[in-house]
Amino acid sequence: MGSVAEINEVRAREPQRIARLLAERRRRADVFGPDGRLMVVACDHPARGALAAAGRPTAMNDRHDLLERLATALARPGVDGLLATADIAEDLLLLGALEDKLVFSSLNRGGLQGASFELDDRQTGYDVRGTVEAGFEGAKMLTRIDLDDPGTVATLEQCGRAVTELARAQRIALVEPFLSRRVGGAVVNDLSADAVIRSVHIAQGLGASSAYTWLKLPVVEEMERVMDATTLPTLLLGGDPAGDPDATYARWQAALALPSVRGLVLGRTMLYPADDDVARAVDTAVAMVR
């Protein structure tokens, strides 16, 4: 398998190939390499109907273009793996792009962007059984907490259950917490240091065991205070690219030097850079991590 054009034919005539390729996929012996750092490419936003990137509202509409960008990113030296929903992960599997890569599944994609039920973020993506059966290293869950929205408690309950099940299966639970609120009908994440710290404490208390819990956190002001709030391994997220790239990279670099920070999970920032040079954006991020 080598081209995006062939994916549809395989899916139509030979869908069983996906399970076979998952079983045969070369997996890494260890999560970390010798340097104890990780560089992960993320692509699970489309499953929530979030298709904008870099100021372009329809940037991620074209699946063929997106897959080519992802394949380019995953092939760059120093990239350790992927975080994605099943449709993306299996397309890349068919392209041969997941050999020797870590894979984190994306669990809860039910909180569709802009929906009245956005904060009732149910698990409509992978489940823990699917993650384990696919041979993946872990699963990521978005955990947005709005104290004024009753949907938050359902999200917390499902995330807590997933953390417990993942720990029992000895798989990583990558929890991405935010304190959120509605502003003009839209969900907005509070990126103040105190809000992120509070979200960290809520997230790291989820589940019957935290042995396999990691955090996925935004880079904010006073990041030193944020990282003082946890002993859990932490990966930094990039978000949607905006503003001066050099300033963004400088913030990431400073945060990567902090205790407990293990690397980056970047998606749209690398896949849709201002100059559209995916390889260069990925290489820049890898150089900061390693």
Side-chain angles (χ1 to χ4, degrees), residues 72-73 75-79 270 277-289:
T72 296
R76 300 306 298 171
V79 172
M270 293 191 305
D277 190 336
V278 175
R280 185 166 73 170
V282 174
D283 292 347
T284 300
V286 168
M288 285 188 291
V289 171

Side-chain angles (χ1 to χ4, degrees), residues 225-254:
R225 289 180 56 220
V226 172
M227 294 314 303
D228 282 344
T230 189
T231 57
L232 299 181
T234 299
L235 301 177
L236 304 176
L237 64 93
D240 193 7
D244 178 12
D246 291 336
T248 299
Y249 293 150
R251 288 195 298 272
W252 292 348
Q253 189 117 44

Side-chain angles (χ1 to χ4, degrees), residues 179-197:
L179 279 188
S180 306
R181 65 187 187 279
R182 289 191 182 274
V183 178
V187 175
V188 177
N189 298 325
D190 187 340
L191 297 181
S192 66
D194 285 335
V196 176
I197 288 168

Side-chain angles (χ1 to χ4, degrees), residues 204-217:
Q204 62 193 2
L206 292 172
S209 172
S210 64
Y212 290 86
T213 303
W214 293 14
L215 296 175
K216 179 172 180 261
L217 298 178

Side-chain angles (χ1 to χ4, degrees), residues 8-256:
N8 181 268
E9 184 69 9
V10 173
R11 285 186 171 279
R13 295 182 180 275
E14 199 183 353
Q16 66 274 16
R17 188 190 296 191
I18 290 173
R20 178 169 58 80
L21 289 176
L22 284 170
E24 296 174 352
R25 183 175 69 91
R26 291 193 309 275
R27 296 178 58 191
R28 288 167 46 149
D30 299 307
V31 171
F32 293 113
D35 61 4
R37 310 284 273 182
L38 288 181
M39 177 72 237
V40 178
V41 178
C43 188
D44 61 350
H45 279 79
R48 286 202 312 110
L51 300 170
R56 291 174 275 178
T58 60
M60 305 179 81
N61 278 14
D62 187 332
R63 179 54 58 94
H64 288 213
D65 174 68
L66 176 57
L67 289 174
E68 288 170 0
R69 290 170 184 266
L70 283 164
T72 296
L74 288 166
R76 300 306 298 171
V79 172
D80 295 288
L82 174 75
L83 187 164
T85 47
D87 56 327
I88 293 284
E90 290 169 358
D91 278 351
L92 291 167
L93 176 77
L94 290 169
L95 291 173
L98 298 186
E99 298 302 301
D100 298 310
K101 299 297 182 186
L102 306 174
V103 184
F104 294 89
S105 67
S106 184
L107 300 186
N108 53 342
R109 299 284 85 192
L112 303 183
Q113 187 179 58
S116 62
F117 52 83
E118 184 168 352
L119 288 162
D120 184 355
D121 202 358
R122 305 185 187 197
Q123 289 177 16
T124 59
Y126 278 102
D127 60 6
V128 174
R129 177 180 172 182
T131 300
V132 173
E133 289 179 348
F136 295 161
E137 283 69 28
K140 169 256 186 177
M141 61 207 79
L142 179 62
T143 311
R144 291 178 293 183
I145 303 154
D146 183 346
L147 301 180
D148 294 320
D149 191 314
T152 290
V153 71
T155 298
L156 288 173
E157 181 183 20
Q158 288 211 350
C159 289
R161 187 181 305 119
V163 169
T164 298
E165 292 175 3
L166 286 162
R168 288 171 178 159
Q170 299 184 347
R171 295 297 199 279
I172 295 164
L174 184 58
V175 184
E176 180 181 6
F178 291 99
L179 279 188
S180 306
R181 65 187 187 279
R182 289 191 182 274
V183 178
V187 175
V188 177
N189 298 325
D190 187 340
L191 297 181
S192 66
D194 285 335
V196 176
I197 288 168
R198 191 176 185 188
S199 76
V200 164
H201 283 288
I202 293 168
Q204 62 193 2
L206 292 172
S209 172
S210 64
Y212 290 86
T213 303
W214 293 14
L215 296 175
K216 179 172 180 261
L217 298 178
V219 179
V220 299
E221 297 296 328
E222 300 183 273
M223 199 65 192
E224 297 87 350
R225 289 180 56 220
V226 172
M227 294 314 303
D228 282 344
T230 189
T231 57
L232 299 181
T234 299
L235 301 177
L236 304 176
L237 64 93
D240 193 7
D244 178 12
D246 291 336
T248 299
Y249 293 150
R251 288 195 298 272
W252 292 348
Q253 189 117 44
L256 282 164

